[in-house]
Amino acid sequence: MISFTQDKSSYAWEGYFYAVLLLVVALLQSLVLQQFVRRCFVLGMKVRAALMAAVYKKALVMSNDNRKESTVGETVNLMSADAQRFNDVTNFIHLLWSCPLQIIVSVVFLWLELGPSTLAGVAVMLLMVPVNGLLANQAKKIQRENMKSKDKRLKIMNEILNGIKTLKLFAWEPSFQTQVEDIRGEELKVMRKFAYLTSFSTFISNCAPTLVSLATFAVFVGVSSDNILTAEKAFTSISLFNILRQPLSMLPTLIASIVQTAVSKKRLEKFLGGDDLESDIVRHDSSFDSAVSICDGSFAWEKDSEPLLKSVSLDIKPGGLVAVVGAVGSGKSSLLSALLGEMHRTKGFINIQGSFAFVPQQAWIQNATLRDNILFGSPYEEQRFEDILEACALGPDLKLLSAGDLTEIGEKGINLSGGQKQRVSLARAAYSQADIFLLDDPLSAVDSHVGKHLFDKVIGPNGLLKDKTRILVTHGVSFLPCVDEVVVLVNGRVSEVGSYQSLRASKGAFSEFLDTYGTEQSNQTSSEDGCHDKEDFISDSEDDQSDVSLADDVSLMLRRENSIRRSQRGNRSSFRLRKNSTLKSPENPKKGQRLIEKETVETGQVKFSVWLQYVQAMGWGYAFWALFIYVMQNVAFIGQNLWLSDWTNDAVEYYNQTYSPKKRDTRVGVFGALGMAQGLFVFLGTLLLTNAAVNASRLLHSRLLNNVLRVPMVFFDTTPLGRILNRFAKDIFTIDEVIPHLFSSWIIHLLGIVGTIVFLCLSTPLFIIVIIPLAVIYFFVQRFYIPTSRQLRRLESVARSPIYSHFGETMSGLSVIRAYNHQERFMKHNEVTIDENLKTIYSRIMSNRWLAVRLQFLGNLVVFFAAVFAVISRNSIDSGLVGLSISYALNVTLTLSFVVNITSQLETNIVAVERVSEYAELENEAPWVTQDWPSEKWPEAGRLQFVDYKVRYRPELDLVLKGISCDISDTEKIGIVGRTGAGKSSLTNCLFRIIEAADGRILIDDVDISKIGLHDLRNRLTIIPQDPVLFSGTLRMNLDPFDKFSDEELWRVLELSHLKDYVAGLKEELQHEVAEGGENLSVGQRQLLCLARALLRKSRILILDEATAAVDLETDDLIQTTIRKEFSHCTVLTIAHRLHSIMDSSRVMVLDAGKIVEFDSPSNLMEKQGHFYSMAKDAGITHESETSF
């Protein structure tokens, strides 16, 4: 083309022919390339899906050692980050052979143009390779550190969100906030390092082309004075060097990407190669005549640890009802786990005949409708379903749910009370038609009379399951006379087995256990010779009531469960059923029932304010200087090329003359200097930008964290944790790593295009005519494409959440899923959620290809017109400029599609800033600390006054507490009782201002609690909450996160809470690591740790929230005595399920439907024969037994 413009004698058609040829070749190249890219992307998508499915599948069969090594957070990271890495690398994998190929071809052509001096350029390129390798290695190290701190931070975040209620009640947020901030600080340090590294490698890759062409031209001109650089030679070789430039710059990215994938591959291999559960622990040999038999079995939780259950032998006949009793930590739950095959067997064997149903101690509820939770994958049979609901006392609860059994239940069963969760869990087991039922203390979380109902109707000798084999772990002594066999565990050994009577008679450990704790209901002691006629057991204490009325009693009581529990946790649900309104059939679910709202998908353009927010987070100064430096780099780039085109015109001037060395040296020198200047500017610009980006990351994350910890509890009850975690994982990752990278390349390329077009218009003024329509077309394509792509991105990230939510749910319910043998079904569900996600991804890939084809066509037109105009104005233009304009135009094609792609990626990714700032601007709860400090010693006495106190959970719901007024003087011990949902827990929530008053006030020592800061309030009260929540970290941190107390004080409280021996027996004592969620302690031990926490606080007011539910009688007794002794000078409020525990309190408050119905000393209330009396009678407490307390 250039030789054509130089040779004025050739025909015009030749020029046009060359121009058309350029166009055709370019079009072919575009089409083939796009097809190739599409195939790569689809392959990548398939690889990612396969890996996600594999990780899920593995998680279902993972052994417990393996589970301990990788927490839920880390495994989710495998599914998100690492699988994505594989996806990315498949897109580039073909470059491994095509890069070298391109390099070889270009070098051959260059040789033809410039001869041996090409080798100088090639040598420079080869020198670059080891430098790049070195940088890649460094990057790999840094990347590894980065992943580590990410995992750590997510793990802590996951725990904070899971235990947010505990943090709020204890006012511990600051301690955990600093923990996260410290980890984040480490992470940012590593990111800074990474940023400096990238800037350096950008500098090198930018200097490379300049150095290469400089070396080649200098050698070419210097070898002999006959070699004159003609325009033809210079620009053809520059185009070739540009072709070379791409594979060379791609290689380091490719190497880095492969390196990252190698790291991910190691992590995945470690996870997927971990031990599975041993499938041969449990045999299914039908020659045995018993349903469950264990022969001399010893079992441990981990391969190398001491066995927890030692030489256990058990034989259970089909259809038997066996109770397992023993103190906390004696291995009752472990025994059931061993039967399920979840523990390592050190010796002996287990034989099982039939299938399992399992009710765990802490009910596991899925985020699905109530019906799906009970059916659990079995077909729906109306009659059976109704019978089971009736037996599990769920009928009345359904009447309160807006959509009956089709009501959606939130993550972790958040909108059900503890007792309801447990009953749903039991109903699931009953519906499953298994042969063997393992019931891990299902009666602990429900009120005593409901417990009795469940025992009679479901578990007991006349219940639904009477023909099945049942193994019941229990702490309730009252059921023992009715079981066929009692197994007593002491320290992991079976100490005795036998019927209730024979064990009473043998005067062994069991009868001592009973004599100490079972101040047994008089009716049972009277029928000590046993439950001969098992029906008698019920009618004994209730001669005046027939069995039928008992059931009615229960259902009456449950019917009053009022919507309270629900509204307290439900989301924007309006469960306001008027007294007279009839329940409509749940044909069309109303908006209210969706407890968990769908995640909002922002639509439309990303608001300009989001961009501003990001730039602001970077700092305006940084942003301005970075931009300025990039503009300078562009000026240098254009200058370099103009200098080159001027140099090539020397060829015409010095035709057949000798070329002066001085002139040659200036030519080469200036050319080189301008090239280096570009590299330097890019380096500075990148450095500034990356620094700014790290700033932005720091700011956005700390804003987000700061705010999420200050959001009221209602928010956490109504938002799935996965969604909040997603903000801390995926979105922060995007802000950390994706956006800065895109931002800098966007600026560089945009300026590059602007520079090119300005230059073209200067060199060939005719070009302006074409550029305007092209720009218009380009604009329209972009306007059409970007919104589509952005929306697809958003849909994709919303379709991603369910995968992780479902995964998290599976991990927490693993033992249940395995027990019911439903792994297949869950894998299917996982595949469906992944497919949903893939749909959005595939659409996105295709839309990108659509865009690329159109943009490349536009770029090709630019080249074509540049060539045509060169032909038209060949007489007025010198050959150097023609060459320059065409080689520029060739460059435009690539950059154009690049810019649109990056713009759309930036828009889709900047959404992360939008999502993070959405959570950083949520409404906060009241301030933690205010001006009105209470005095240091407040509350000195611990007097409580409720003044006409009313409260509702959210503005549009009914009142939960409807005007409570009472005075509690200092050091009084108050018991609070009431049916489920009467507002007992709401009362504690109000004292801690977890929910704020609608009306009225609470005074503590005459200070209105709504006037002081939340932390001032929460730090001065103590609670032993319903669910014992522990955090991973040392035992010490769990007791005293602020390091306020000395070790002596900690040992003292451990002694008082009866954990001293246990802790002293641990290797690291107080530094013992607690697993995520306290998994390596038994529920009873966790409860005792919570007691220790309370003892440390030494405040004047103590609240006990059903704290004794998960504890056996022995521990219960320990806790009660400790509390009586240690808190004798305090005001104690006990919310009780077991009336035994409050019979000695000074007064009892009976709540019903949010009002106080009775408030007096227990003995007076018994005489009044009102509410309290009937509850006591249900629990089998009468006057005689009361005195024995």
Side-chain angles (χ1 to χ4, degrees):
M1 193 71 211
I2 295 172
S3 64
F4 164 79
T5 47
Q6 275 176 351
D7 178 12
K8 306 286 189 244
S9 63
S10 57
Y11 298 105
W13 65 262
E14 268 183 56
Y16 292 122
F17 174 68
Y18 285 138
V20 174
L21 210 60
L22 266 175
L23 181 68
V24 173
V25 171
L27 281 180
L28 272 174
Q29 184 204 2
S30 308
L31 291 173
V32 175
L33 182 73
Q34 293 317 315
Q35 191 58 28
F36 159 75
V37 172
R38 193 204 121 220
R39 285 172 189 250
C40 281
F41 271 97
V42 173
L43 177 70
M45 179 176 97
K46 289 179 177 161
V47 170
R48 173 170 165 258
L51 280 173
M52 286 169 93
V55 168
Y56 187 84
K57 196 168 176 178
K58 175 70 184 185
L60 284 173
V61 294
M62 213 160 51
S63 70
N64 284 300
D65 309 7
N66 208 357
R67 262 177 85 182
K68 206 164 173 189
E69 276 170 25
S70 42
T71 57
V72 182
E74 284 166 13
T75 333
V76 169
N77 236 347
L78 286 177
M79 276 181 105
S80 57
D82 295 330
Q84 189 58 47
R85 291 257 160 84
F86 271 90
N87 185 352
D88 296 342
V89 84
T90 40
N91 303 342
F92 303 132
I93 203 85
H94 291 283
L95 295 174
L96 273 179
W97 59 265
S98 74
C99 280
L101 184 72
Q102 283 182 342
I103 291 176
I104 291 165
V105 172
S106 314
V107 170
V108 170
F109 278 129
L110 277 169
W111 183 274
L112 297 176
E113 282 289 331
L114 300 175
S117 50
T118 314
L119 292 177
V122 176
V124 173
M125 286 185 179
L126 290 178
L127 279 176
M128 291 293 173
V129 176
V131 175
N132 277 331
L134 238 132
L135 289 176
N137 246 344
Q138 267 323 98
K140 176 174 167 182
K141 272 195 201 128
I142 295 183
Q143 205 56 29
R144 221 183 261 136
E145 279 177 58
N146 202 359
M147 287 311 280
K148 269 201 190 118
S149 6
K150 256 198 190 18
D151 280 350
K152 228 157 98 188
R153 189 182 51 141
L154 282 188
K155 185 173 156 191
I156 283 209
M157 276 318 301
N158 190 14
E159 299 207 322
I160 289 182
L161 295 174
N162 274 319
I164 188 81
K165 183 140 190 205
T166 311
L167 291 187
K168 286 195 178 305
L169 292 171
F170 284 93
W172 278 358
E173 299 101 330
S175 157
F176 280 82
Q177 191 172 344
T178 48
Q179 272 187 53
V180 177
E181 292 281 8
D182 290 348
I183 295 176
R184 180 73 179 157
E186 286 298 299
E187 208 180 335
L188 289 174
K189 255 193 217 142
V190 174
M191 270 171 56
R192 274 233 155 85
K193 263 195 222 156
F194 197 64
Y196 294 152
L197 208 72
T198 359
S199 320
F200 188 62
S201 66
T202 323
F203 170 61
I204 287 188
S205 65
N206 255 298
C207 288
T210 306
L211 287 175
V212 170
S213 33
L214 182 66
T216 314
F217 292 155
V219 171
F220 177 71
V221 182
V223 176
S224 79
S225 53
D226 297 347
N227 285 345
I228 294 183
L229 199 58
T230 59
E232 224 169 315
K233 283 198 165 124
F235 288 107
T236 313
S237 43
I238 279 188
S239 283
L240 286 169
F241 276 131
N242 269 338
I243 291 178
L244 255 182
R245 186 179 179 169
Q246 200 206 355
L248 278 178
S249 68
M250 282 310 284
L251 269 177
T253 353
L254 183 63
I255 293 167
S257 178
I258 288 176
V259 162
Q260 285 185 350
T261 314
V263 174
S264 293
K265 172 171 154 285
K266 276 211 185 81
R267 285 165 50 120
L268 280 163
E269 272 174 357
K270 183 180 161 208
F271 179 79
L272 296 173
D275 296 335
D276 289 357
L277 273 187
E278 299 161 34
S279 50
D280 56 344
I281 297 181
V282 179
R283 300 184 197 169
H284 296 281
D285 185 350
S286 49
S287 60
F288 284 78
D289 57 347
S290 53
V292 176
S293 54
I294 305 181
C295 292
D296 189 34
S298 294
F299 303 94
W301 275 114
E302 291 169 50
K303 267 214 174 99
D304 342 313
S305 59
E306 276 294 290
L308 236 166
L309 297 171
K310 307 172 197 67
S311 19
V312 174
S313 292
L314 258 189
D315 211 36
I316 296 170
K317 295 280 169 283
L321 168 56
V322 180
V324 181
V325 297
V328 164
S330 62
K332 301 183 298 293
S333 300
S334 301
L335 178 66
L336 297 190
S337 297
L339 289 176
L340 291 171
E342 300 258 328
M343 292 178 78
H344 279 290
R345 177 188 57 184
T346 46
K347 61 171 184 173
F349 72 89
I350 299 178
N351 191 65
I352 299 291
Q353 286 200 37
S355 55
F356 277 131
F358 175 48
V359 180
Q361 198 165 5
Q362 289 180 319
W364 173 69
I365 304 289
Q366 281 183 280
N367 183 358
T369 61
L370 186 73
R371 179 185 295 179
D372 291 342
N373 262 304
I374 294 176
L375 297 184
F376 205 57
S378 316
Y380 175 62
E381 293 170 31
E382 196 160 347
Q383 194 43 52
R384 199 166 110 228
F385 187 69
E386 294 301 326
D387 293 347
I388 283 169
L389 287 184
E390 184 50 44
C392 294
L394 282 164
D397 298 287
L398 290 187
K399 297 201 176 68
L400 302 169
L401 290 166
S402 55
D405 59 1
L406 296 177
T407 308
E408 188 197 16
I409 290 169
E411 242 180 318
K412 299 206 178 87
I414 196 92
N415 49 337
L416 297 177
S417 69
Q420 286 166 332
K421 278 190 237 181
Q422 204 50 284
R423 296 204 298 273
V424 170
S425 183
L426 186 62
R428 174 192 301 157
Y431 193 86
S432 67
Q433 288 184 310
D435 309 315
I436 302 167
F437 288 79
L438 304 180
L439 311 166
D440 193 351
D441 205 7
L443 304 174
S444 63
V446 295
D447 298 350
S448 46
H449 37 268
V450 184
K452 197 154 147 198
H453 174 89
L454 292 179
F455 188 81
D456 297 341
K457 291 280 187 255
V458 186
I459 304 166
N462 302 313
L464 279 173
L465 310 178
K466 57 177 179 291
D467 311 325
K468 311 274 192 183
T469 314
R470 291 141 297 169
I471 303 176
L472 171 70
V473 169
T474 182
H475 297 136
V477 185
S478 52
F479 306 121
L480 296 181
C482 290
V483 299
D484 307 334
E485 265 192 319
V486 178
V487 176
V488 186
L489 282 178
V490 178
N491 290 334
R493 294 179 188 282
V494 174
S495 78
E496 17 183 11
V497 182
S499 67
Y500 179 77
Q501 288 75 30
S502 61
L503 290 182
R504 283 298 303 242
S506 71
K507 294 272 178 263
F510 178 68
S511 64
E512 284 171 30
F513 173 80
L514 281 184
D515 295 339
T516 345
Y517 304 107
T519 339
E520 257 193 287
Q521 294 126 325
S522 41
N523 55 326
Q524 270 160 252
T525 339
S526 62
S527 60
E528 204 181 301
D529 45 4
C531 224
H532 28 229
D533 182 359
K534 293 190 173 146
E535 262 101 299
D536 275 5
F537 162 54
I538 299 164
S539 45
D540 236 87
S541 69
E542 274 157 352
D543 311 306
D544 51 341
Q545 293 189 331
S546 66
D547 200 33
V548 184
S549 73
L550 169 83
D552 285 353
D553 240 35
V554 174
S555 52
L556 273 170
M557 146 3 233
L558 285 166
R559 215 166 274 144
R560 283 210 305 270
E561 274 202 7
N562 212 321
S563 58
I564 291 161
R565 191 51 106 152
R566 195 122 309 84
S567 43
Q568 133 186 1
R569 303 246 172 105
N571 188 358
R572 319 184 168 81
S573 32
S574 38
F575 289 105
R576 292 178 290 180
L577 293 173
R578 300 275 164 273
K579 297 282 178 291
N580 52 4
S581 72
T582 48
L583 273 164
K584 294 179 208 60
S585 62
E587 291 305 298
N588 47 348
K590 303 178 284 294
K591 177 170 165 64
Q593 272 136 240
R594 299 286 317 209
L595 163 73
I596 304 280
E597 289 295 314
K598 273 271 194 259
E599 188 161 2
T600 47
V601 188
E602 293 281 342
T603 48
Q605 227 181 337
V606 181
K607 297 181 206 60
F608 187 61
S609 60
V610 178
W611 294 92
L612 277 185
Q613 228 169 355
Y614 187 67
V615 177
Q616 213 166 356
M618 287 172 123
W620 288 108
Y622 270 135
F624 169 75
W625 279 111
L627 193 68
F628 175 72
I629 285 175
Y630 279 136
V631 171
M632 290 307 299
Q633 178 251 328
N634 231 351
V635 171
F637 178 61
I638 292 177
Q640 184 189 23
N641 280 329
L642 282 173
W643 183 255
L644 185 69
S645 88
D646 195 41
W647 183 0
T648 55
N649 289 339
D650 290 356
V652 186
E653 261 174 60
Y654 291 89
Y655 196 60
N656 287 337
Q657 295 174 26
T658 43
Y659 195 55
S660 68
K662 194 170 136 224
K663 183 134 194 193
R664 184 187 67 204
D665 295 345
T666 37
R667 288 293 187 199
V668 175
V670 173
F671 182 74
L674 283 169
M676 296 311 281
Q678 281 178 61
L680 202 66
F681 281 136
V682 170
F683 174 63
L684 286 176
T686 322
L687 203 63
L688 280 178
L689 260 188
T690 38
N691 244 333
V694 172
N695 273 352
S697 283
R698 197 194 63 236
L699 208 83
L700 290 167
H701 178 266
S702 57
R703 265 193 224 157
L704 173 68
L705 178 68
N706 211 357
N707 203 54
V708 166
L709 288 177
R710 285 176 170 71
V711 169
M713 200 57 217
V714 162
F715 171 75
F716 296 100
D717 286 343
T718 56
T719 313
L721 297 185
R723 194 179 299 170
I724 307 176
L725 242 151
N726 212 347
R727 298 287 193 279
F728 281 98
K730 188 82 181 103
D731 294 333
I732 288 287
F733 170 79
T734 309
I735 291 174
D736 285 354
E737 303 197 4
V738 184
I739 294 181
H741 179 69
L742 287 175
F743 212 65
S744 59
S745 46
W746 182 68
I747 291 183
I748 293 177
H749 288 107
L750 193 65
L751 290 173
I753 284 189
V754 171
T756 306
I757 287 173
V758 167
F759 178 78
L760 282 177
C761 294
L762 287 175
S763 69
T764 2
L766 274 173
F767 205 77
I768 302 176
I769 309 169
V770 184
I771 213 84
I772 295 169
L774 282 182
V776 172
I777 298 174
Y778 175 71
F779 179 75
F780 277 117
V781 171
Q782 187 170 352
R783 283 267 56 70
F784 181 75
Y785 166 78
I786 286 184
T788 325
S789 130
R790 186 177 53 225
Q791 217 45 28
L792 280 170
R793 265 291 156 107
R794 283 175 175 161
L795 285 173
E796 183 191 338
S797 64
V798 171
R800 193 187 285 118
S801 297
I803 300 181
Y804 305 144
S805 287
H806 177 240
F807 183 69
E809 212 167 60
T810 311
M811 290 296 281
S812 55
L814 255 186
S815 44
V816 180
I817 297 170
R818 288 176 185 166
Y820 284 103
N821 217 344
H822 274 242
Q823 292 96 315
E824 273 300 309
R825 185 168 70 86
F826 275 80
M827 263 149 58
K828 278 272 169 298
H829 184 103
N830 181 49
E831 283 163 19
V832 172
T833 42
I834 291 182
D835 284 346
E836 278 301 309
N837 185 15
L838 291 185
K839 282 182 200 163
T840 55
I841 296 181
Y842 184 71
S843 328
R844 199 188 81 225
I845 293 174
M846 292 320 289
S847 71
N848 283 346
R849 302 283 60 81
W850 177 93
L851 171 81
V853 170
R854 274 149 194 75
L855 284 185
Q856 291 209 333
F857 182 66
L858 268 183
N860 296 336
L861 282 180
V862 174
V863 177
F864 175 66
F865 282 118
V868 169
F869 288 140
V871 176
I872 294 173
S873 53
R874 67 175 170 163
N875 297 326
S876 61
I877 195 173
D878 65 27
S879 56
L881 280 180
V882 173
L884 193 53
S885 59
I886 292 180
S887 68
Y888 258 24
L890 279 170
N891 229 343
V892 167
T893 355
L894 280 176
T895 340
L896 259 188
S897 55
F898 218 63
V899 165
V900 174
N901 262 333
I902 291 180
T903 312
S904 71
Q905 275 184 7
L906 245 184
E907 278 220 354
T908 41
N909 282 310
I910 204 94
V911 174
V913 178
E914 185 175 29
R915 289 165 50 116
V916 165
S917 55
E918 174 197 352
Y919 275 22
E921 287 156 13
L922 290 169
E923 202 162 315
N924 286 356
E925 49 186 6
W928 284 351
V929 184
T930 57
Q931 301 306 310
D932 313 336
W933 285 58
S935 69
E936 277 302 306
K937 296 203 179 79
W938 177 88
E940 276 181 79
R943 269 198 322 286
L944 270 175
Q945 285 159 294
F946 285 84
V947 185
D948 189 27
Y949 194 76
K950 299 188 178 112
V951 76
R952 52 167 61 99
Y953 273 86
R954 284 196 313 283
E956 70 274 22
L957 299 174
D958 283 345
L959 289 173
V960 191
L961 295 179
K962 302 167 182 158
I964 290 209
S965 298
C966 63
D967 267 358
I968 298 171
S969 52
D970 46 346
T971 72
E972 253 195 311
K973 307 287 174 279
I974 302 289
I976 303 175
V977 296
R979 314 281 189 205
T980 314
K984 304 189 295 278
S985 302
S986 310
L987 205 61
T988 54
N989 285 341
C990 298
L991 269 175
F992 284 88
R993 284 176 60 200
I994 294 287
I995 41 179
E996 300 282 0
D999 196 13
R1001 48 201 192 128
I1002 302 180
L1003 304 173
I1004 299 183
D1005 283 4
D1006 306 323
V1007 175
D1008 183 346
I1009 62 168
S1010 60
K1011 297 279 187 290
I1012 57 177
L1014 290 181
H1015 278 197
D1016 290 331
L1017 170 68
R1018 293 172 185 171
N1019 270 320
R1020 314 297 172 88
L1021 303 177
T1022 305
I1023 184 168
I1024 301 181
Q1026 202 166 350
D1027 318 323
V1029 177
L1030 300 183
F1031 301 96
S1032 64
T1034 59
L1035 270 177
R1036 190 187 165 104
M1037 188 218 70
N1038 268 297
L1039 289 170
D1040 173 28
F1042 291 105
D1043 276 338
K1044 284 190 203 156
F1045 300 99
S1046 66
D1047 281 7
E1048 289 74 54
E1049 293 176 279
L1050 291 180
W1051 282 109
R1052 206 191 112 251
V1053 298
L1054 286 177
E1055 188 171 6
L1056 292 172
S1057 49
H1058 309 280
L1059 281 171
K1060 187 174 182 181
D1061 304 344
Y1062 170 73
V1063 178
L1066 296 169
K1067 258 196 262 165
E1068 284 116 359
E1069 301 194 336
L1070 286 174
Q1071 296 305 317
H1072 177 69
E1073 282 291 326
V1074 177
E1076 196 173 9
E1079 303 245 315
N1080 50 357
L1081 299 172
S1082 75
V1083 181
Q1085 286 165 329
R1086 286 183 234 168
Q1087 201 70 60
L1088 291 173
L1089 263 178
C1090 290
L1091 173 67
R1093 269 183 204 166
L1095 289 164
L1096 263 183
R1097 278 231 140 139
K1098 306 195 194 58
S1099 59
R1100 302 297 305 221
I1101 298 180
L1102 170 73
I1103 291 139
L1104 281 172
D1105 189 353
E1106 297 166 1
T1108 51
V1111 180
D1112 60 285
L1113 295 166
E1114 198 171 349
T1115 323
D1116 192 1
D1117 200 60
L1118 295 176
I1119 290 185
Q1120 291 298 336
T1121 15
T1122 310
I1123 287 175
R1124 263 170 238 159
K1125 196 167 99 241
E1126 290 298 312
F1127 291 103
S1128 55
H1129 59 291
C1130 304
T1131 312
V1132 182
L1133 304 180
T1134 311
I1135 293 181
H1137 267 175
R1138 303 183 182 178
L1139 295 185
H1140 300 280
S1141 53
I1142 55 159
M1143 288 312 284
D1144 62 335
S1145 41
S1146 37
R1147 288 194 288 168
V1148 173
M1149 178 191 297
V1150 184
L1151 285 174
D1152 188 57
K1155 294 196 181 69
I1156 297 182
V1157 278
E1158 298 179 329
F1159 193 20
D1160 206 344
S1161 65
S1163 48
N1164 294 355
L1165 288 178
M1166 289 301 277
E1167 272 156 31
K1168 255 177 71 180
Q1169 302 213 349
H1171 287 259
F1172 184 71
Y1173 175 72
S1174 63
M1175 288 167 88
K1177 213 171 62 180
D1178 280 351
I1181 301 174
T1182 47
H1183 277 300
E1184 304 87 278
S1185 65
E1186 184 206 324
T1187 51
S1188 65
F1189 254 84

